[in-house]
Amino acid sequence: MSRLRGRFTGPVFTRRSEATTTDQRLLDSHQPSDWVHTDPWRVMRIQSEFVEGFGALAELGPAIGVFGSARTAADHPTYAQAERAGRLLAEAGYAVITGGGPGAMEAANKGACDAGGTSVGLGIELPFEAGLNEWVDVGINFRYFFVRKTMFVKYSRGFVVLPGGVGTLDELFEAITLVQTQKVTRFPIALIGVDYWSGLLSWLRETVLADGKISQTDLDLLFLTDDVEEAVRHVLAVQEEDPRP
């Protein structure tokens, strides 16, 4: 009989725990009415996650977020690209922030770690993942997605985005929205993988832009390349103009 896999509930690791997550229980409207009485206590837990995140990352220094699929196999070319991106960013003096999981995230953390840089993982409580990858130097496991997203955007000065699925797309479009609405400024976004991303960009240009739902300046926020070095140069070039320490 195989050993049961465990998972994290926030920062706590458990086995044989319930299948739901904290986020799921918070957002589920089909639950007993006693949630009215427990939600104020949830606010305290949410506050504590913000405090933990701010405390852990306040002295991090300049950092770049690297996103990509947790399903990227170690022998896939994208894994090598993510590892290379993490290494180049670390060699340039930047911390690397990922979601802390396997696949492309693990690769970027590994590249940063091998280069002697700071490798950060911001994990999330999920029913099918057991925690942070082994290459994370500074790791925080969150219960709530919205707290985790705040940490990504607050402490990253740009994103390098590799091929990924729903989670990667979520982070990508969140970043675009924040730049578009001027909630964040000087925030470069580099996409690695011309074949992978071209279909999406064509749809945005030929359908969404053509119908007047976005402007050309929104599309100009995205820099597309197959060259890892070029992607890293793009996100770092903006930092040279940034007056922040």
Side-chain angles (χ1 to χ4, degrees):
M1 182 177 180
S2 62
R3 186 179 182 186
L4 289 174
R5 292 185 62 189
R7 68 184 183 89
F8 276 89
T9 305
V12 180
F13 181 79
T14 60
R15 295 189 190 278
R16 303 179 182 85
S17 55
E18 58 185 310
T20 61
T21 65
T22 309
D23 252 348
Q24 180 183 348
R25 293 191 295 276
L26 173 65
L27 299 174
D28 185 7
S29 60
H30 304 290
Q31 57 179 320
S33 60
D34 61 356
W35 68 270
V36 174
H37 307 291
T38 60
D39 264 16
W41 293 105
R42 286 177 177 170
V43 171
M44 300 298 292
R45 174 177 283 178
I46 291 167
Q47 179 181 351
S48 73
E49 288 212 338
F50 277 112
V51 171
E52 286 180 359
F54 293 152
L57 301 176
E59 305 300 325
L60 181 62
I64 299 294
V66 179
F67 294 103
S69 176
R71 304 182 188 189
T72 301
D75 59 353
H76 194 281
T78 299
Y79 190 100
Q81 289 180 315
E83 187 174 349
R84 178 68 175 158
R87 175 179 291 277
L88 290 173
L89 290 167
E91 289 175 348
Y94 286 78
V96 172
I97 305 178
T98 79
M105 294 175 282
E106 173 188 287
N109 286 133
K110 182 178 186 297
C113 189
D114 286 345
T118 302
S119 175
V120 181
L122 305 182
I124 186 68
E125 173 191 320
L126 294 174
F128 47 81
E129 286 186 18
L132 303 173
N133 68 68
E134 63 178 307
W135 301 101
V136 169
D137 296 322
V138 179
I140 310 169
N141 214 66
F142 294 96
R143 291 182 173 91
Y144 300 101
F145 265 112
F146 54 87
V147 180
R148 181 185 187 230
K149 287 181 176 182
T150 299
M151 301 302 153
F152 271 122
V153 176
K154 178 172 175 59
Y155 293 103
S156 297
R157 296 191 179 183
F159 287 161
V160 173
V161 187
L162 294 113
V166 173
T168 302
L169 291 170
D170 177 49
E171 296 292 354
L172 171 61
F173 278 97
E174 171 122 10
I176 296 171
T177 301
L178 291 172
V179 177
Q180 181 201 55
T181 56
Q182 300 182 21
K183 296 298 184 181
V184 296
T185 58
R186 296 180 179 271
F187 201 90
I189 304 167
L191 304 177
I192 297 177
V194 172
D195 288 344
Y196 191 86
W197 295 110
S198 289
L200 173 63
L201 295 182
S202 294
W203 175 77
L204 288 172
R205 182 172 54 254
E206 297 167 10
T207 302
V208 186
L209 176 62
D211 201 38
K213 299 300 188 294
I214 59 174
S215 65
Q216 182 60 46
T217 56
D218 298 327
L219 288 180
D220 292 342
L221 296 173
L222 302 174
F223 178 81
L224 178 63
T225 181
D226 276 326
D227 189 318
V228 176
E229 285 77 6
E230 190 176 27
V232 171
R233 282 197 302 270
H234 174 73
V235 296
L236 297 187
V238 177
Q239 311 314 315
E240 296 176 0
E241 304 171 1
D242 196 328
R244 291 178 297 174

PDB file of all heavy atoms in Angstrom, residues 165-189:
ATOM      1  N   GLY A 165      -0.841  27.021 -17.740  1.00  0.00           N
ATOM      2  CA  GLY A 165      -2.273  26.813 -17.854  1.00  0.00           C
ATOM      3  C   GLY A 165      -3.081  27.922 -17.210  1.00  0.00           C
ATOM      4  O   GLY A 165      -2.707  29.107 -17.253  1.00  0.00           O
ATOM      5  N   VAL A 166      -4.180  27.552 -16.572  1.00  0.00           N
ATOM      6  CA  VAL A 166      -5.123  28.524 -16.024  1.00  0.00           C
ATOM      7  C   VAL A 166      -4.465  29.429 -14.986  1.00  0.00           C
ATOM      8  O   VAL A 166      -4.670  30.646 -14.976  1.00  0.00           O
ATOM      9  CB  VAL A 166      -6.344  27.796 -15.432  1.00  0.00           C
ATOM     10  CG1 VAL A 166      -7.249  28.777 -14.700  1.00  0.00           C
ATOM     11  CG2 VAL A 166      -7.127  27.080 -16.528  1.00  0.00           C
ATOM     12  N   GLY A 167      -3.668  28.842 -14.093  1.00  0.00           N
ATOM     13  CA  GLY A 167      -3.027  29.655 -13.061  1.00  0.00           C
ATOM     14  C   GLY A 167      -2.081  30.678 -13.642  1.00  0.00           C
ATOM     15  O   GLY A 167      -2.033  31.837 -13.198  1.00  0.00           O
ATOM     16  N   THR A 168      -1.308  30.265 -14.649  1.00  0.00           N
ATOM     17  CA  THR A 168      -0.379  31.179 -15.307  1.00  0.00           C
ATOM     18  C   THR A 168      -1.130  32.292 -16.021  1.00  0.00           C
ATOM     19  O   THR A 168      -0.759  33.470 -15.951  1.00  0.00           O
ATOM     20  CB  THR A 168       0.502  30.410 -16.307  1.00  0.00           C
ATOM     21  OG1 THR A 168       1.202  29.370 -15.612  1.00  0.00           O
ATOM     22  CG2 THR A 168       1.502  31.325 -16.982  1.00  0.00           C
ATOM     23  N   LEU A 169      -2.216  31.930 -16.709  1.00  0.00           N
ATOM     24  CA  LEU A 169      -3.026  32.937 -17.398  1.00  0.00           C
ATOM     25  C   LEU A 169      -3.649  33.912 -16.400  1.00  0.00           C
ATOM     26  O   LEU A 169      -3.742  35.121 -16.663  1.00  0.00           O
ATOM     27  CB  LEU A 169      -4.124  32.256 -18.213  1.00  0.00           C
ATOM     28  CG  LEU A 169      -3.658  31.454 -19.429  1.00  0.00           C
ATOM     29  CD1 LEU A 169      -4.819  30.641 -19.995  1.00  0.00           C
ATOM     30  CD2 LEU A 169      -3.082  32.372 -20.495  1.00  0.00           C
ATOM     31  N   ASP A 170      -4.062  33.403 -15.268  1.00  0.00           N
ATOM     32  CA  ASP A 170      -4.649  34.247 -14.231  1.00  0.00           C
ATOM     33  C   ASP A 170      -3.654  35.307 -13.779  1.00  0.00           C
ATOM     34  O   ASP A 170      -3.977  36.504 -13.716  1.00  0.00           O
ATOM     35  CB  ASP A 170      -5.082  33.372 -13.057  1.00  0.00           C
ATOM     36  CG  ASP A 170      -5.639  34.176 -11.904  1.00  0.00           C
ATOM     37  OD1 ASP A 170      -6.504  35.035 -12.136  1.00  0.00           O
ATOM     38  OD2 ASP A 170      -5.202  33.946 -10.753  1.00  0.00           O
ATOM     39  N   GLU A 171      -2.433  34.882 -13.471  1.00  0.00           N
ATOM     40  CA  GLU A 171      -1.418  35.833 -13.025  1.00  0.00           C
ATOM     41  C   GLU A 171      -1.057  36.819 -14.139  1.00  0.00           C
ATOM     42  O   GLU A 171      -0.852  38.014 -13.892  1.00  0.00           O
ATOM     43  CB  GLU A 171      -0.164  35.077 -12.561  1.00  0.00           C
ATOM     44  CG  GLU A 171      -0.380  34.179 -11.351  1.00  0.00           C
ATOM     45  CD  GLU A 171      -0.668  34.957 -10.077  1.00  0.00           C
ATOM     46  OE1 GLU A 171      -0.592  36.203 -10.088  1.00  0.00           O
ATOM     47  OE2 GLU A 171      -0.969  34.312  -9.057  1.00  0.00           O
ATOM     48  N   LEU A 172      -0.968  36.320 -15.371  1.00  0.00           N
ATOM     49  CA  LEU A 172      -0.637  37.177 -16.498  1.00  0.00           C
ATOM     50  C   LEU A 172      -1.671  38.279 -16.686  1.00  0.00           C
ATOM     51  O   LEU A 172      -1.328  39.468 -16.772  1.00  0.00           O
ATOM     52  CB  LEU A 172      -0.531  36.332 -17.770  1.00  0.00           C
ATOM     53  CG  LEU A 172      -0.406  37.101 -19.094  1.00  0.00           C
ATOM     54  CD1 LEU A 172       0.845  37.967 -19.110  1.00  0.00           C
ATOM     55  CD2 LEU A 172      -0.424  36.135 -20.272  1.00  0.00           C
ATOM     56  N   PHE A 173      -2.942  37.905 -16.731  1.00  0.00           N
ATOM     57  CA  PHE A 173      -3.977  38.907 -16.983  1.00  0.00           C
ATOM     58  C   PHE A 173      -4.201  39.809 -15.774  1.00  0.00           C
ATOM     59  O   PHE A 173      -4.603  40.967 -15.930  1.00  0.00           O
ATOM     60  CB  PHE A 173      -5.268  38.220 -17.424  1.00  0.00           C
ATOM     61  CG  PHE A 173      -5.277  37.879 -18.880  1.00  0.00           C
ATOM     62  CD1 PHE A 173      -4.946  36.604 -19.315  1.00  0.00           C
ATOM     63  CD2 PHE A 173      -5.575  38.841 -19.832  1.00  0.00           C
ATOM     64  CE1 PHE A 173      -4.916  36.292 -20.663  1.00  0.00           C
ATOM     65  CE2 PHE A 173      -5.563  38.541 -21.181  1.00  0.00           C
ATOM     66  CZ  PHE A 173      -5.226  37.262 -21.610  1.00  0.00           C
ATOM     67  N   GLU A 174      -3.932  39.306 -14.586  1.00  0.00           N
ATOM     68  CA  GLU A 174      -4.003  40.179 -13.417  1.00  0.00           C
ATOM     69  C   GLU A 174      -2.953  41.281 -13.530  1.00  0.00           C
ATOM     70  O   GLU A 174      -3.227  42.463 -13.263  1.00  0.00           O
ATOM     71  CB  GLU A 174      -3.774  39.379 -12.136  1.00  0.00           C
ATOM     72  CG  GLU A 174      -3.625  40.244 -10.897  1.00  0.00           C
ATOM     73  CD  GLU A 174      -4.651  39.919  -9.828  1.00  0.00           C
ATOM     74  OE1 GLU A 174      -5.360  38.918  -9.948  1.00  0.00           O
ATOM     75  OE2 GLU A 174      -4.737  40.692  -8.874  1.00  0.00           O
ATOM     76  N   ALA A 175      -1.738  40.899 -13.937  1.00  0.00           N
ATOM     77  CA  ALA A 175      -0.675  41.891 -14.084  1.00  0.00           C
ATOM     78  C   ALA A 175      -1.022  42.914 -15.159  1.00  0.00           C
ATOM     79  O   ALA A 175      -0.829  44.123 -14.970  1.00  0.00           O
ATOM     80  CB  ALA A 175       0.643  41.192 -14.426  1.00  0.00           C
ATOM     81  N   ILE A 176      -1.546  42.436 -16.297  1.00  0.00           N
ATOM     82  CA  ILE A 176      -1.929  43.357 -17.372  1.00  0.00           C
ATOM     83  C   ILE A 176      -2.993  44.336 -16.886  1.00  0.00           C
ATOM     84  O   ILE A 176      -2.941  45.537 -17.166  1.00  0.00           O
ATOM     85  CB  ILE A 176      -2.454  42.575 -18.589  1.00  0.00           C
ATOM     86  CG1 ILE A 176      -1.346  41.703 -19.174  1.00  0.00           C
ATOM     87  CG2 ILE A 176      -2.983  43.528 -19.656  1.00  0.00           C
ATOM     88  CD1 ILE A 176      -1.847  40.734 -20.232  1.00  0.00           C
ATOM     89  N   THR A 177      -3.972  43.815 -16.147  1.00  0.00           N
ATOM     90  CA  THR A 177      -5.050  44.666 -15.639  1.00  0.00           C
ATOM     91  C   THR A 177      -4.517  45.740 -14.694  1.00  0.00           C
ATOM     92  O   THR A 177      -4.912  46.912 -14.764  1.00  0.00           O
ATOM     93  CB  THR A 177      -6.102  43.818 -14.911  1.00  0.00           C
ATOM     94  OG1 THR A 177      -6.631  42.844 -15.802  1.00  0.00           O
ATOM     95  CG2 THR A 177      -7.226  44.686 -14.375  1.00  0.00           C
ATOM     96  N   LEU A 178      -3.601  45.359 -13.819  1.00  0.00           N
ATOM     97  CA  LEU A 178      -3.050  46.321 -12.860  1.00  0.00           C
ATOM     98  C   LEU A 178      -2.231  47.404 -13.552  1.00  0.00           C
ATOM     99  O   LEU A 178      -2.255  48.568 -13.148  1.00  0.00           O
ATOM    100  CB  LEU A 178      -2.199  45.587 -11.823  1.00  0.00           C
ATOM    101  CG  LEU A 178      -2.979  44.693 -10.850  1.00  0.00           C
ATOM    102  CD1 LEU A 178      -2.024  43.868  -9.997  1.00  0.00           C
ATOM    103  CD2 LEU A 178      -3.891  45.522  -9.958  1.00  0.00           C
ATOM    104  N   VAL A 179      -1.495  47.030 -14.607  1.00  0.00           N
ATOM    105  CA  VAL A 179      -0.745  48.035 -15.358  1.00  0.00           C
ATOM    106  C   VAL A 179      -1.701  48.923 -16.149  1.00  0.00           C
ATOM    107  O   VAL A 179      -1.564  50.147 -16.168  1.00  0.00           O
ATOM    108  CB  VAL A 179       0.274  47.367 -16.301  1.00  0.00           C
ATOM    109  CG1 VAL A 179       0.990  48.427 -17.138  1.00  0.00           C
ATOM    110  CG2 VAL A 179       1.289  46.555 -15.510  1.00  0.00           C
ATOM    111  N   GLN A 180      -2.684  48.301 -16.813  1.00  0.00           N
ATOM    112  CA  GLN A 180      -3.648  49.048 -17.620  1.00  0.00           C
ATOM    113  C   GLN A 180      -4.381  50.097 -16.786  1.00  0.00           C
ATOM    114  O   GLN A 180      -4.627  51.213 -17.232  1.00  0.00           O
ATOM    115  CB  GLN A 180      -4.651  48.090 -18.257  1.00  0.00           C
ATOM    116  CG  GLN A 180      -5.693  48.766 -19.134  1.00  0.00           C
ATOM    117  CD  GLN A 180      -6.926  47.909 -19.323  1.00  0.00           C
ATOM    118  OE1 GLN A 180      -7.549  47.481 -18.358  1.00  0.00           O
ATOM    119  NE2 GLN A 180      -7.268  47.645 -20.575  1.00  0.00           N
ATOM    120  N   THR A 181      -4.746  49.720 -15.567  1.00  0.00           N
ATOM    121  CA  THR A 181      -5.491  50.625 -14.695  1.00  0.00           C
ATOM    122  C   THR A 181      -4.581  51.504 -13.839  1.00  0.00           C
ATOM    123  O   THR A 181      -5.056  52.217 -12.957  1.00  0.00           O
ATOM    124  CB  THR A 181      -6.430  49.819 -13.778  1.00  0.00           C
ATOM    125  OG1 THR A 181      -5.663  48.846 -13.043  1.00  0.00           O
ATOM    126  CG2 THR A 181      -7.491  49.097 -14.594  1.00  0.00           C
ATOM    127  N   GLN A 182      -3.268  51.409 -14.102  1.00  0.00           N
ATOM    128  CA  GLN A 182      -2.260  52.214 -13.415  1.00  0.00           C
ATOM    129  C   GLN A 182      -2.223  51.977 -11.910  1.00  0.00           C
ATOM    130  O   GLN A 182      -1.854  52.869 -11.137  1.00  0.00           O
ATOM    131  CB  GLN A 182      -2.465  53.701 -13.724  1.00  0.00           C
ATOM    132  CG  GLN A 182      -2.350  54.008 -15.208  1.00  0.00           C
ATOM    133  CD  GLN A 182      -2.491  55.482 -15.535  1.00  0.00           C
ATOM    134  OE1 GLN A 182      -2.294  56.348 -14.671  1.00  0.00           O
ATOM    135  NE2 GLN A 182      -2.836  55.783 -16.769  1.00  0.00           N
ATOM    136  N   LYS A 183      -2.589  50.761 -11.510  1.00  0.00           N
ATOM    137  CA  LYS A 183      -2.408  50.380 -10.112  1.00  0.00           C
ATOM    138  C   LYS A 183      -0.938  50.079  -9.831  1.00  0.00           C
ATOM    139  O   LYS A 183      -0.473  50.214  -8.701  1.00  0.00           O
ATOM    140  CB  LYS A 183      -3.268  49.161  -9.774  1.00  0.00           C
ATOM    141  CG  LYS A 183      -4.762  49.398  -9.882  1.00  0.00           C
ATOM    142  CD  LYS A 183      -5.238  50.462  -8.911  1.00  0.00           C
ATOM    143  CE  LYS A 183      -6.753  50.625  -8.973  1.00  0.00           C
ATOM    144  NZ  LYS A 183      -7.219  51.676  -8.032  1.00  0.00           N
ATOM    145  N   VAL A 184      -0.228  49.620 -10.865  1.00  0.00           N
ATOM    146  CA  VAL A 184       1.222  49.470 -10.776  1.00  0.00           C
ATOM    147  C   VAL A 184       1.821  50.126 -12.011  1.00  0.00           C
ATOM    148  O   VAL A 184       1.188  50.209 -13.069  1.00  0.00           O
ATOM    149  CB  VAL A 184       1.668  47.994 -10.694  1.00  0.00           C
ATOM    150  CG1 VAL A 184       1.175  47.342  -9.428  1.00  0.00           C
ATOM    151  CG2 VAL A 184       1.213  47.212 -11.915  1.00  0.00           C
ATOM    152  N   THR A 185       3.049  50.618 -11.875  1.00  0.00           N
ATOM    153  CA  THR A 185       3.735  51.267 -13.002  1.00  0.00           C
ATOM    154  C   THR A 185       5.097  50.617 -13.183  1.00  0.00           C
ATOM    155  O   THR A 185       5.587  49.909 -12.306  1.00  0.00           O
ATOM    156  CB  THR A 185       3.911  52.772 -12.743  1.00  0.00           C
ATOM    157  OG1 THR A 185       4.654  52.950 -11.537  1.00  0.00           O
ATOM    158  CG2 THR A 185       2.558  53.457 -12.618  1.00  0.00           C
ATOM    159  N   ARG A 186       5.722  50.855 -14.356  1.00  0.00           N
ATOM    160  CA  ARG A 186       7.049  50.301 -14.637  1.00  0.00           C
ATOM    161  C   ARG A 186       7.073  48.802 -14.356  1.00  0.00           C
ATOM    162  O   ARG A 186       7.901  48.310 -13.597  1.00  0.00           O
ATOM    163  CB  ARG A 186       8.123  51.008 -13.806  1.00  0.00           C
ATOM    164  CG  ARG A 186       8.291  52.477 -14.140  1.00  0.00           C
ATOM    165  CD  ARG A 186       9.377  53.095 -13.264  1.00  0.00           C
ATOM    166  NE  ARG A 186       9.579  54.501 -13.585  1.00  0.00           N
ATOM    167  CZ  ARG A 186      10.430  54.942 -14.501  1.00  0.00           C
ATOM    168  NH1 ARG A 186      11.151  54.065 -15.191  1.00  0.00           N
ATOM    169  NH2 ARG A 186      10.568  56.224 -14.729  1.00  0.00           N
ATOM    170  N   PHE A 187       6.157  48.093 -14.964  1.00  0.00           N
ATOM    171  CA  PHE A 187       6.020  46.665 -14.681  1.00  0.00           C
ATOM    172  C   PHE A 187       6.084  45.884 -15.995  1.00  0.00           C
ATOM    173  O   PHE A 187       5.060  45.613 -16.621  1.00  0.00           O
ATOM    174  CB  PHE A 187       4.686  46.397 -13.969  1.00  0.00           C
ATOM    175  CG  PHE A 187       4.668  45.099 -13.207  1.00  0.00           C
ATOM    176  CD1 PHE A 187       5.062  45.049 -11.884  1.00  0.00           C
ATOM    177  CD2 PHE A 187       4.269  43.924 -13.836  1.00  0.00           C
ATOM    178  CE1 PHE A 187       5.050  43.853 -11.186  1.00  0.00           C
ATOM    179  CE2 PHE A 187       4.258  42.724 -13.139  1.00  0.00           C
ATOM    180  CZ  PHE A 187       4.648  42.689 -11.810  1.00  0.00           C
ATOM    181  N   PRO A 188       7.285  45.530 -16.451  1.00  0.00           N
ATOM    182  CA  PRO A 188       7.427  44.825 -17.727  1.00  0.00           C
ATOM    183  C   PRO A 188       6.980  43.370 -17.627  1.00  0.00           C
ATOM    184  O   PRO A 188       7.124  42.727 -16.583  1.00  0.00           O
ATOM    185  CB  PRO A 188       8.931  44.911 -18.005  1.00  0.00           C
ATOM    186  CG  PRO A 188       9.545  44.998 -16.636  1.00  0.00           C
ATOM    187  CD  PRO A 188       8.581  45.796 -15.808  1.00  0.00           C
ATOM    188  N   ILE A 189       6.440  42.860 -18.721  1.00  0.00           N
ATOM    189  CA  ILE A 189       5.975  41.478 -18.791  1.00  0.00           C
ATOM    190  C   ILE A 189       6.560  40.844 -20.053  1.00  0.00           C
ATOM    191  O   ILE A 189       6.286  41.302 -21.165  1.00  0.00           O
ATOM    192  CB  ILE A 189       4.443  41.392 -18.835  1.00  0.00           C
ATOM    193  CG1 ILE A 189       3.830  42.120 -17.635  1.00  0.00           C
ATOM    194  CG2 ILE A 189       3.982  39.931 -18.878  1.00  0.00           C
ATOM    195  CD1 ILE A 189       2.328  42.346 -17.757  1.00  0.00           C
TER     196      ILE A 189
END
